[in-house]
Structure formats: C-alpha cells, structure tokens
Amino acid sequence: MTDAVGSIDMPDAEDEAPKKNRKGGKRGKKGPLGRLALFYRQIIAELRKVVWPTRSQLSTYTTVVIIFVVVMIGLVTVIDLGFQEAVKYVFG
C-alpha cells in the first residue's frame, strides 16, 4: 500500500539520516542562576506582548462582573429560600 509520499514499507531517505545527540543545547551551557535569569527575561518578554486593557475597558469589565455576581447571588438566594420552604412543607 502506498500513500502520497511513498511506500509505507520503505522509509523515506530523510528519516534514515542519523540524528545528532545534543546534550543540553543553550540550557546546558548555563548554570542554575543563568537558567533562572533566562526564565525571568522570557517572562518579561511575554508580558510586553500582552495587550493590556485601557482604564475605561477595565472599569466596564469590572462593572459587568460585579453585576453578574450580584445577579447570581440573588438567583441562588431565591432558589435556597424556595428549597427551605419546600423542606418546611414536606417535613413540617
């Protein structure tokens, strides 16, 4: 049986090439403090890529979350009071 690349039984020539066994790479050449410094530099680089919300967006998001939490508190309270009344009715 063959596929688009070639025979399944015969591996491709690039698969047969011996692979170099690297030990460590860039991380292997540095000590623990060097790796820690690299880690923190990468953190700072990633934080610079973040698109931070503006003050108005942040206040809008905060308002939406607070309103949602208040609505959910009200919903759970109403359901809890309903169960409380049902238990009182059933068990007297």
Side-chain angles (χ1 to χ4, degrees), residues 37-88:
L38 175 65
F39 177 68
Y40 283 116
R41 281 196 305 270
Q42 289 174 344
I43 289 174
I44 298 300
E46 288 298 321
L47 285 175
R48 286 186 180 138
K49 295 178 188 177
V50 173
V51 179
W52 297 97
T54 63
R55 185 173 296 272
S56 67
Q57 288 174 332
L58 190 61
S59 63
T60 302
Y61 298 156
T62 305
T63 304
V64 167
V65 167
I66 290 173
I67 290 172
F68 177 77
V69 168
V70 168
V71 167
M72 292 308 294
I73 288 172
L75 181 66
V76 169
T77 302
V78 168
I79 291 172
D80 185 49
L81 290 174
F83 280 130
Q84 180 181 353
E85 291 300 319
V87 167
K88 281 183 185 178

Side-chain angles (χ1 to χ4, degrees), residues 5-56:
V5 177
S7 175
I8 294 175
D9 297 331
M10 299 292 294
D12 294 335
E14 57 192 325
D15 291 340
E16 294 176 2
K19 297 188 180 201
K20 295 180 182 178
N21 194 6
R22 294 175 55 181
K23 292 184 180 179
K26 290 182 180 179
R27 282 187 252 147
K29 297 178 183 176
K30 298 179 182 176
L33 291 178
R35 289 194 306 249
L36 189 63
L38 175 65
F39 177 68
Y40 283 116
R41 281 196 305 270
Q42 289 174 344
I43 289 174
I44 298 300
E46 288 298 321
L47 285 175
R48 286 186 180 138
K49 295 178 188 177
V50 173
V51 179
W52 297 97
T54 63
R55 185 173 296 272
S56 67

